[in-house]
Structures are given as C-alpha cells and as structure tokens.
Amino acid sequence: MKFISWNVNGLRACVKPKTDKEGNVVSEGFEKVFKSLDADFFCLQETKMQAGQLDLEFEGYRSFWNYAVRKGYSGTAIYARHEPLSVMRGMGIEEHDQEGRVITLEYPTFYLVTVYTPNSQEALPDEVKPRRLTYRMEWEDAFRTYLKKLDEHKPVIVCGDLNVAHEEIDIKNPKTNRNNAGFTDEERGKMTELLGVGFIDTFRTMYPDQVTYSWWSYRFRARERNTGWRLDYFLMSDRLREKMIDAKIHTEIYGSDHCPVELLLDIR
C-alpha cells in the first residue's frame, strides 16, 4: 500500500497550476499530482477550508474531512481507496478539537492517523519562548496518549505536518534556529518521547544519514537555496517495521511551501 501526506497550505490555492515570473510552470496543480502519485491513501493538512467550498472528488476514492471552527484555518482530509471500519475526527478532547487537526481511519489491521500539529508560533518581541509553546506542550501530551491508546488495539500509522525538525540533520541551520518555533528543545523532546513509546520515524529509520527537507519558507529564495526543514513525517508502530518497503520525500513536487512525503508498506 502507498501512503502520501502533504501539507497543501490551502487546498483551493494548491488546486490551481502555478507559474513563475517568466511564465514557466512550477506546479501542475493538485489534481495532476494526486493522480500521478497514485496512492491508496492521500492525507492532507492545512486545507484551510469549510464544507462546500470545493468540490474535489476522485473516482475510486472516498474523502474524509475535518474542518476548523475558524474559517480559512488549519483543517485536514484523507482520500482513501479502502472503506474504513470507523472514522474519528479529533481526539475526543474538546479543547484540542476546534481546529480540525486530526482524522483517524480504522482498518482491520491498522489505524491511519493524519495530523496537523499546532505551530508554537514565533516569540513576541519581549518574550524568549514561542508564544504558543505552552499550548503546544499540552497538545503533544494529549496526542501521545491518544496514539498509545490506539496502539493498544492494533498498529498505528501516523502522518502529517508535525511542525518540528527533530534532529539537527532535519534542518539546514540548526545553530541559528535553536529555540525558534519548530526547533525548540521542548518540541524536539516531545518527538523523542513519542518515539520512545513504541513508534519509529520511517524515513529516518530507512535513511539515517540522508539530508532531505520537506518545508521551505517562501522568503529569501529558501527553496531555491534548499534552506529547509523536515517537518513532515510518517511515524508508525515499531512492530510494523518489517512491513516497510520504502519512504520518500518528493522534493520535486511544488504547489505548497511543503512537499509530499510517502510511505510504502507491505500491509493489507
């Protein structure tokens, strides 16, 4: 089975082909990317949509959406070729379920979870720590507990924009970014905690020394210069390790400030 995850940074904008200043096509649009990747599951984050704003369905797939209460903000979706046993939107915790950040599909042999982890946001001028870091820590603890409970029943595959570069290899400039949002000791520590309770980072497991990023700022020609961060992940229960075939980061695909990431598993 092929799994794809992509933070599209606004699906309605991502749907449209994009050109550069010279008129060259840099993104062929979401529909063409979707069809070319030909995945069993295509998970989206930061859809920035409400119900009814975009009619985008694909033959052979059923789609599942979780919209934020706040319009034009956050949001997740999954396109699935396989009918799930059950669907859950959110974690069942009201304070964490207002921003459309989690969808869980249950299948006979696994759970698939897509997540858009809250950004801890830049620090205010008179503060040292990112301004939403305290909430982010609460979210991390709740999400880890949620995944552990799922894992007690069957293996879990987790994908999405986790908004953290876990190790120095996952970010272009680790020293100058130390304690910036997405690379604080606290956020990196929470990722370590999650991996410590029975989950693995699939890409890093397969490619321990490969330097590849999945997000680049729109500023300072960051993508052109490859000044990036690896923020997008497929994690999964360690007991699925032998099912791994490959993991990829599709840096060649444009259309968002993130690129899609992929996991290929021998699983049914």
Side-chain angles (χ1 to χ4, degrees), residues 32 36 38 42 65 75 98 106 120 130 187 189 209 223 241:
K32 194 159 187 176
S36 69
D38 192 28
F42 204 119
W65 302 78
Q98 303 303 303
E106 180 187 6
S120 59
E187 290 163 305
D209 302 315
R223 190 154 187 175
R241 183 187 296 256

Side-chain angles (χ1 to χ4, degrees), residues 153-169:
H153 299 282
K154 61 185 78 174
V156 181
I157 301 162
V158 189
C159 69
D161 176 1
L162 301 189
N163 258 317
V164 62
H166 183 217
E167 303 289 353
E168 290 193 354
I169 193 176

Side-chain angles (χ1 to χ4, degrees), residues 2-219:
K2 181 191 283 191
F3 300 78
I4 294 288
S5 176
W6 193 10
N7 179 323
V8 292
N9 193 13
L11 184 55
R12 286 172 293 170
C14 187
V15 162
K16 304 170 186 176
K18 296 179 182 178
T19 58
D20 60 20
K21 294 179 180 178
E22 287 73 40
N24 301 309
V25 175
V26 294
S27 169
E28 295 179 321
F30 178 78
E31 294 185 58
K32 194 159 187 176
V33 171
F34 183 96
K35 292 174 181 177
S36 69
L37 289 174
D38 192 28
D40 291 279
F41 300 94
F42 204 119
C43 303
L44 308 178
Q45 304 86 43
E46 208 171 359
T47 55
K48 297 183 178 179
M49 283 175 45
Q50 301 300 124
Q53 288 188 315
L54 183 66
D55 182 13
L56 186 62
E57 296 297 335
F58 297 94
E59 185 177 355
Y61 291 86
R62 186 177 171 196
S63 63
F64 305 90
W65 302 78
N66 193 4
Y67 305 105
V69 173
R70 175 181 163 190
K71 293 182 179 180
Y73 180 73
S74 188
T76 49
I78 301 178
Y79 286 89
R81 274 185 172 144
H82 309 275
E83 188 70 22
L85 299 175
S86 67
V87 181
M88 182 172 177
R89 294 167 176 85
M91 294 186 282
I93 304 172
E94 186 175 357
E95 65 178 299
H96 296 315
D97 290 346
Q98 303 303 303
E99 298 178 349
R101 293 185 178 275
V102 179
I103 301 174
T104 303
L105 303 186
E106 180 187 6
Y107 290 91
T109 59
F110 65 91
Y111 289 101
L112 173 62
V113 180
T114 196
V115 60
Y116 177 39
T117 301
N119 190 312
S120 59
Q121 302 181 359
E122 295 180 4
L124 296 172
D126 58 342
E127 296 180 351
V128 176
K129 295 291 186 180
R131 61 184 183 274
R132 211 182 185 198
L133 184 60
T134 298
Y135 174 71
R136 169 68 178 266
M137 295 297 97
E138 295 169 359
W139 162 277
E140 293 279 4
D141 290 339
F143 189 58
R144 186 177 64 256
T145 298
Y146 175 71
L147 295 180
K148 285 172 63 179
K149 287 180 180 177
L150 292 179
D151 190 56
E152 291 173 2
H153 299 282
K154 61 185 78 174
V156 181
I157 301 162
V158 189
C159 69
D161 176 1
L162 301 189
N163 258 317
V164 62
H166 183 217
E167 303 289 353
E168 290 193 354
I169 193 176
D170 299 316
I171 186 171
K172 180 69 172 182
N173 298 308
K175 289 183 173 58
T176 57
N177 280 293
R178 175 85 184 275
N179 285 325
N180 284 342
F183 199 60
T184 63
D185 293 345
E186 291 90 339
E187 290 163 305
R188 295 170 65 196
K190 290 299 182 184
M191 171 69 94
T192 299
E193 282 187 55
L194 178 54
L195 297 178
V197 295
F199 293 90
I200 61 171
D201 175 350
T202 59
F203 180 80
R204 192 55 70 211
T205 297
M206 296 204 74
Y207 303 104
D209 302 315
Q210 186 170 317
V211 177
T212 311
Y213 308 123
S214 67
W215 176 82
W216 305 262
S217 171
Y218 281 133
R219 299 179 291 175

Side-chain angles (χ1 to χ4, degrees), residues 214-233:
S214 67
W215 176 82
W216 305 262
S217 171
Y218 281 133
R219 299 179 291 175
F220 312 122
R221 297 171 35 240
R223 190 154 187 175
E224 181 182 338
R225 298 163 56 200
N226 199 29
T227 306
W229 304 43
R230 188 170 74 99
L231 301 179
D232 303 88
Y233 297 79

